Amino acid sequence: MSNPEPIILAIESSCDDTSVAVMRGFEVLSNCVHNQAIHSQFGGVVPELASRAHIQAIVPTISASLEIAELQISQIDAVAVTQGPGLLGSLLVGHSFAKSLSIALGIPIINVHHMEGHMLSSFLIEKNIQKVDSRLEFPYLCLTVSGGHTQIVIVHNWNEFEILGQTLDDAVGEAFDKSAKLLSLSYPGGPVVDEKSQNGNPKRFPFNTAKVAGFDFSYSGVKTSILQTMQREQKKRPDTLINDLPDWCASIQLSLISPLIKNIKKAILETGIKRISIAGGVSANSLLREQIRVLGESMGLKTYIPPMSYTTDNAAMIGAVGQFSFQNQKFDSISSSAKARMVTTNWKLPNVKQHK
Ligand code: KG4
Ligand code: ZN
């Protein structure tokens, strides 16, 4: 008889969401996310408040996750946890808790790089849903777009990544959030801009976008252009930001998403890799999802567009990496610690030529 698939409890606490998942193999038995509403009134995440909220939320979130999975804590085979990158105080809550569980239950701990979790989300299998195999064969291209990252990565294997291109300044999620702030919209701004743009004209306000070589991105120029265009238009129509809100949102969205589509298309053509996925908070964006779907159809690609629950930060994605580690018996030391920044030895520098 083959070995039963390992049960992993996964914890993610790198920013302002406390999340706990229970996985049997790659099947997600539960994936609970506790959102910290407190930050919206400050227009951004306040690190000290985030750490305190994690401390309050971690035990109830673990209990809820086990209850939904209908399992006891004693049935867990390993604990996987985000080691970094992220806010140190937030990471420490999840990581210290994972170490305590590892010691108390006598089970291994698996440290996970947050972005590797996002990139391996396509391996997750939803509970009680017909097991359609959405996993992409290696290698595939992953467009990783969040509040802190904007990258095109070749995922060679579960533990081997190569960055083809990345942002030279702001991340695309950050550009969404800052633009939303200029429009006096709530934080996080990305989902609000997305929602308000539904009936807007994306061509109404053309902004200057940066021309960047290779597969890299730059968002600081377009941010300045958005601000200057707003100031100019407000002189003509003082209430434009309120009266023309859908057009502002649609125009901002188009200018932030277009460089992503342009570069991923270029990466497909240059590498010859015909499997792509999108990951990270901005992969929830409706325009990005639609344009990736259209690109996939027109270029004959296998695409993975994550369900909404796996776009923003969640522990199931940390559990996916945990399962690969478990299968390969790669465990970590109890003396390891959380890291705000992570130097990764399995991330290669760009070298596009070898894939031609
Ligand atoms: O991956 P994530 O949850 O956290 C980080 O690791 O950063 O990403 C959060 C980012 C925020 O900047 C948020 O505004 C953006 O994802 N975001 C969106 C949408 N939903 C979330 N941006 C554009 N459109 C959306 N629908
Ligand atoms: Zn993230």
Side-chain angles (χ1 to χ4, degrees):
M1 210 175 85
S2 63
N3 284 337
E5 294 193 281
I7 305 219
I8 288 186
L9 182 123
I11 302 174
E12 150 64 36
S13 69
S14 64
C15 191
D16 59 339
D17 293 319
T18 316
S19 182
V20 179
V22 178
M23 318 264 304
R24 180 185 286 116
F26 287 94
E27 185 175 7
V28 184
L29 302 182
S30 62
N31 183 33
C32 297
V33 184
H34 174 269
N35 300 111
Q36 302 180 358
I38 188 157
H39 305 287
S40 64
Q41 60 188 289
F42 299 101
V45 178
V46 184
E48 175 62 24
L49 295 178
S51 322
R52 290 189 208 182
H54 281 304
I55 289 171
Q56 285 181 333
I58 189 105
V59 173
T61 313
I62 286 183
S63 305
S65 212
L66 284 166
E67 201 178 316
I68 294 167
E70 296 177 7
L71 288 173
Q72 305 292 320
I73 193 113
S74 55
Q75 292 173 276
I76 305 296
D77 296 307
V79 55
V81 61
T82 306
Q83 184 180 26
L87 300 172
L88 189 60
S90 293
L91 288 162
L92 276 168
V93 177
H95 200 263
S96 306
F97 208 93
K99 287 205 282 189
S100 318
L101 280 180
S102 166
I103 295 168
L105 300 170
I107 55 173
I109 183 169
I110 299 165
N111 285 329
V112 177
H113 188 293
H114 178 85
M115 297 315 292
E116 294 181 9
H118 275 304
M119 289 188 277
L120 295 173
S121 301
S122 74
F123 288 87
L124 295 171
I125 298 167
E126 302 244 37
K127 187 183 168 188
N128 296 335
I129 290 192
Q130 195 192 2
K131 291 184 185 171
V132 183
D133 201 354
S134 60
R135 61 188 66 196
L136 300 173
E137 277 168 47
F138 298 115
Y140 59 87
L141 291 167
C142 185
L143 178 64
T144 311
V145 279
S146 70
H149 289 78
T150 308
Q151 294 179 326
I152 296 180
V153 179
I154 303 178
V155 183
H156 289 281
N157 207 328
W158 73 274
N159 59 353
E160 207 188 321
F161 305 86
E162 181 179 350
I163 301 168
L164 271 191
Q166 58 193 331
T167 183
L168 304 174
D169 38 60
D170 291 353
V172 60
E174 202 181 342
F176 265 106
D177 295 338
K178 287 180 178 164
S179 305
K181 208 168 181 178
L182 295 176
L183 290 167
S184 307
L185 301 175
S186 59
Y187 177 87
V192 193
V193 171
D194 190 354
E195 190 202 321
K196 303 277 180 206
S197 41
Q198 294 309 316
N199 297 316
N201 172 6
K203 303 266 168 69
R204 169 111 183 246
F205 302 109
F207 308 115
N208 299 327
T209 46
K211 303 222 173 351
V212 187
F215 302 98
D216 287 335
F217 303 92
S218 168
Y219 280 104
S220 70
V222 66
K223 213 177 55 189
T224 310
S225 173
I226 290 169
L227 175 65
Q228 288 172 343
T229 310
M230 284 177 177
Q231 288 169 339
R232 204 174 52 237
E233 294 293 321
Q234 275 175 311
K235 280 190 191 139
K236 292 185 247 164
R237 294 182 313 282
D239 291 333
T240 180
L241 299 188
I242 296 165
N243 295 342
D244 307 318
L245 185 63
D247 292 347
W248 281 108
C249 288
S251 302
I252 288 168
Q253 179 163 275
L254 181 66
S255 71
L256 300 183
I257 297 299
S258 298
L260 303 175
I261 300 297
K262 185 170 144 256
N263 280 10
I264 191 81
K265 194 170 168 185
K266 197 158 125 193
I268 295 159
L269 292 172
E270 292 219 12
T271 62
I273 298 173
K274 301 198 102 187
R275 292 171 293 271
I276 60 166
S277 75
I278 53 174
V282 182
S283 68
N285 184 267
S286 59
L287 181 67
L288 177 63
R289 293 168 80 86
E290 174 59 11
Q291 293 208 348
I292 289 287
R293 192 188 61 73
V294 170
L295 189 72
E297 272 179 20
S298 67
M299 294 182 82
L301 313 171
K302 179 154 187 195
T303 50
Y304 174 75
I305 298 172
M308 292 305 253
S309 53
Y310 301 146
T311 56
T312 39
D313 290 348
N314 66 89
M317 68 185 198
I318 302 304
V321 185
Q323 287 294 340
F324 277 116
S325 289
F326 197 101
Q327 284 171 8
N328 290 276
Q329 294 290 292
K330 189 193 156 292
F331 302 120
D332 290 285
S333 160
I334 201 69
S335 60
S336 59
S337 58
K339 293 180 175 164
R341 290 174 180 274
M342 280 179 83
V343 180
T344 41
T345 48
N346 55 334
W347 287 45
K348 286 193 235 153
L349 290 170
N351 181 9
V352 70
K353 286 194 194 71
Q354 71 194 62
H355 305 284
K356 278 196 170 172

